[in-house]
Amino acid sequence: MSRFKVLSTVFDLPPLARHRRAQAVQSTAEEPAVTERSLDGGVQHAAFAGQTDYDEFKLPKTMSLVIVLLASALLQVSFFIVVSSSDQYAQHLGGTATFSGLVIGIPTVFSGLALVPLMKLDQGGYKRPLHFACASAFLGNVLYSLAYRANFLYLILLGRIVSGFGFTFWMYSKRYCSDPRIVGVRRRTMLAGWLVLGQGGGMTIGPFFGGLFYKVGFSNGVFNGYTAPTWVLAGVWAVFWVFSALCFEDVPAVSRTAQDIELQPVQLQQDSFRDDDKKAVMTQEDAAPTEAGPSAIQNDCGQTKISFSPLIDSPIRDTAQTIEQRSSSPDLGEPQQIRMSGPQWGVTATMCWFAMTCFFILGAWEANIPVFTGSDSTLNPFHFSPTAAGNLIALGGISSLPFLVANVFVARRVQDRHTLAVGTSIGLAGLLIAIAIMSSRTVTYGSLFVCWFLIALGFNLSSTVTLSLLSKQLPGQWNSRISMAIQYSNYTGRVTGAVWGGAGVKIGMLSFVGMQVALVAVGAVMFMTLWRNLKAKTG
């Protein structure tokens, strides 16, 4: 029983929220359903007292959630496990350091190309994308391993491309953790924190074991220092595939009732209101005033005029419910078309920019550390092997893990915009320190580690809130669209960052870091301009 209590504590609600949830269920059983007439004259669905609070804290089934989180973490390991030795592997097969950066980043290009057709086949669920990801990751790692035996440079590129098809599940894991059918609005940032924790774990485990397996040696033409990491990972994916097929339970079928806007209302097209609905708003015969309903004024003819406050002035929760019910009621025909306001477009652009920037900087440093520390650059005092470079990457990642674990629980009480501000500031501090030590030619193991630690912690932390914040400000039925927007931004950052990192020594390390500072500066301007519009519910 203690094990289940731990799982409930980690994935479910804190005691206060559980008490609130129990009160909501009790009030549902005791109080009758209440119906009200909505702004456009249609009858709303029956609503129970406390139901909104209950929905805000809902979570998917634990086993399925664990499988999604593990799949995301394993994909992170698959992405990073070749970072330590890909440079030397590519050179052994006749490639260059820039080519090794392409090998690291190319999977995200093909993952982005595969997303659109895959979404047409997923039926709104997650089981098919999960099987597709497991199969692609298994086959891709096998092809990457066989390149040494075949002595064919482009086979490692082909293996990474096939693995990239599996990386499509990154988008689905983010969508799963913000899906309004199974995740309440006050649990999305927390689940995003678990995804980022897996991201940090993959960034730690991948390079460490990649460097560790490099020590296996090269006496065997099949299982050696270059191929051992991906052979082992292929076996892990095979086992996980079987486990997922047996234990994963997909979400319910797509429902048109989850179309609410959970933080801020958006404007509806004015011409979409029907004339008869407008008349129904103005007059209603034999209407009795209710305690929580609209104000009623009876005239001399016995008719009751009901006055409604404007939509823009109503409370957020009432506005969200009205829009949801107007959109989903079978009595009202087709759903209303919803337009995004200017600030909402700005918030979306800001979150996409930070999603790209975070993964550009993380990918650039992960690809650059093995290249820089093993190069003949005058700034490099190390001349590391792939094992030592992988250990440095892993050390920065593992040092940030305790803070990412703490963020999972802190996220319940901290606004997303504050998390974004703190994470970006920490990462920017690491970049500025890197410029300082490289300009003064005082690069040491300790100073480089501090830079990498701050960058890994800060930008992993910032990447936590990009999707969760958007999902709280836009309609629930747009979850797939905003998930794709954020994921394509991530892909753009990963592939360009990896190539930029592989070419960092040739470009010049000061220019390499300066470009990243410029990206953060652009994001900071957007962030400060839209600070008030970035407010969202905690949790």
Side-chain angles (χ1 to χ4, degrees), residues 106-123:
I106 197 66
T108 56
V109 175
F110 287 85
S111 179
L113 294 175
L115 262 182
V116 174
L118 183 60
M119 290 188 68
K120 295 181 179 179
L121 302 174
D122 62 20
Q123 297 180 327

Side-chain angles (χ1 to χ4, degrees), residues 90-399:
Q91 291 184 24
H92 172 78
L93 297 176
T96 63
T98 303
F99 184 84
S100 72
L102 183 63
V103 167
I104 295 172
I106 197 66
T108 56
V109 175
F110 287 85
S111 179
L113 294 175
L115 262 182
V116 174
L118 183 60
M119 290 188 68
K120 295 181 179 179
L121 302 174
D122 62 20
Q123 297 180 327
Y126 301 91
K127 181 168 287 188
R128 289 185 178 183
L130 180 60
H131 287 306
F132 180 72
C134 292
S136 300
F138 171 77
L139 181 59
N141 282 293
V142 169
L143 291 175
Y144 186 92
S145 302
L146 292 176
Y148 187 91
R149 181 71 175 179
N151 194 29
F152 183 45
L153 173 64
Y154 291 97
L155 190 56
I156 65 173
L157 192 65
L158 179 61
R160 293 290 287 174
I161 289 173
V162 175
S163 294
F165 293 139
F167 294 157
T168 52
F169 198 74
W170 274 332
M171 190 279 290
Y172 284 97
S173 63
K174 291 181 177 67
R175 195 178 87 179
Y176 187 90
C177 291
S178 60
D179 194 327
R181 294 173 291 176
I182 52 177
V183 181
V185 67
R186 292 191 182 273
R187 283 295 171 261
R188 295 177 189 175
T189 304
M190 184 192 72
L191 294 188
W194 279 108
L195 287 177
V196 173
L197 181 60
Q199 177 179 305
M203 185 180 65
T204 301
I205 296 171
F208 175 76
F209 280 100
L212 183 64
F213 282 122
Y214 179 80
K215 292 185 175 182
V216 169
F218 298 89
S219 58
N220 192 307
V222 177
F223 193 88
N224 53 56
Y226 294 142
T227 64
T230 44
W231 277 126
V232 172
L233 197 56
V236 172
W237 273 110
V239 174
F240 180 77
W241 192 2
V242 175
F243 172 71
S244 301
L246 295 175
C247 300
F248 182 75
E249 183 177 343
D250 212 342
V251 298
V254 178
S255 174
R256 297 191 63 87
T257 60
Q259 297 184 356
D260 55 318
I261 300 173
E262 296 169 289
L263 177 68
Q264 295 176 345
V266 293
Q267 296 178 351
L268 299 176
Q269 290 183 353
Q270 299 297 326
D271 56 357
S272 61
F273 291 101
R274 298 179 307 208
D275 293 337
D276 56 342
D277 292 334
K278 294 179 181 178
K279 295 177 181 179
V281 173
M282 299 301 299
T283 60
Q284 178 183 2
E285 295 184 357
D286 301 328
T290 60
E291 181 179 354
S295 59
I297 303 175
Q298 190 169 8
N299 61 10
D300 298 335
C301 300
Q303 293 180 332
T304 302
K305 293 184 179 180
I306 304 176
S307 61
F308 290 81
S309 58
L311 182 63
I312 193 171
D313 296 329
S314 61
I316 292 175
R317 179 176 299 173
D318 295 339
T319 301
Q321 291 175 350
T322 301
I323 295 176
E324 174 186 0
Q325 290 147 356
R326 185 186 299 120
S327 300
S328 59
S329 176
D331 299 330
L332 301 180
E334 294 297 324
Q336 306 285 351
Q337 295 183 1
I338 302 176
R339 291 176 177 173
M340 290 176 62
S341 63
Q344 287 173 324
W345 278 111
V347 170
T348 302
T350 302
M351 293 301 100
C352 289
W353 181 266
F354 273 101
M356 183 277 296
T357 299
C358 290
F359 283 93
F360 179 91
I361 296 174
L362 291 172
W365 276 76
E366 288 147 1
N368 179 260
I369 287 177
V371 175
F372 170 67
T373 56
S375 69
D376 296 328
S377 172
T378 57
L379 298 175
N380 174 32
F382 308 115
H383 306 290
F384 279 167
S385 66
T387 301
N391 290 340
L392 176 59
I393 297 173
L395 184 60
I398 200 171
S399 300

Side-chain angles (χ1 to χ4, degrees), residues 26-67:
Q26 182 178 3
S27 62
T28 298
E30 294 176 355
E31 296 185 16
V34 179
T35 58
E36 298 177 356
R37 185 168 295 274
S38 61
L39 179 63
D40 60 356
V43 178
Q44 298 180 357
H45 290 300
F48 292 93
Q51 185 176 0
T52 302
D53 289 340
Y54 175 82
D55 289 341
E56 286 184 349
F57 293 97
K58 64 183 175 182
L59 284 170
K61 294 189 176 180
T62 301
M63 182 57 68
S64 297
L65 176 60
V66 168
I67 289 174

Side-chain angles (χ1 to χ4, degrees), residues 1-14 18 21 59-67 69-70 187 190-191 194 408-409 412:
M1 292 297 295
S2 60
R3 178 177 61 183
F4 293 104
K5 290 181 180 179
V6 171
L7 288 175
S8 177
T9 302
V10 174
F11 290 106
D12 209 339
L13 312 177
R18 285 200 299 269
R21 179 173 177 175
L59 284 170
K61 294 189 176 180
T62 301
M63 182 57 68
S64 297
L65 176 60
V66 168
I67 289 174
L69 296 177
L70 283 177
R187 283 295 171 261
M190 184 192 72
L191 294 188
W194 279 108
V408 172
F409 303 97
R412 299 171 177 176

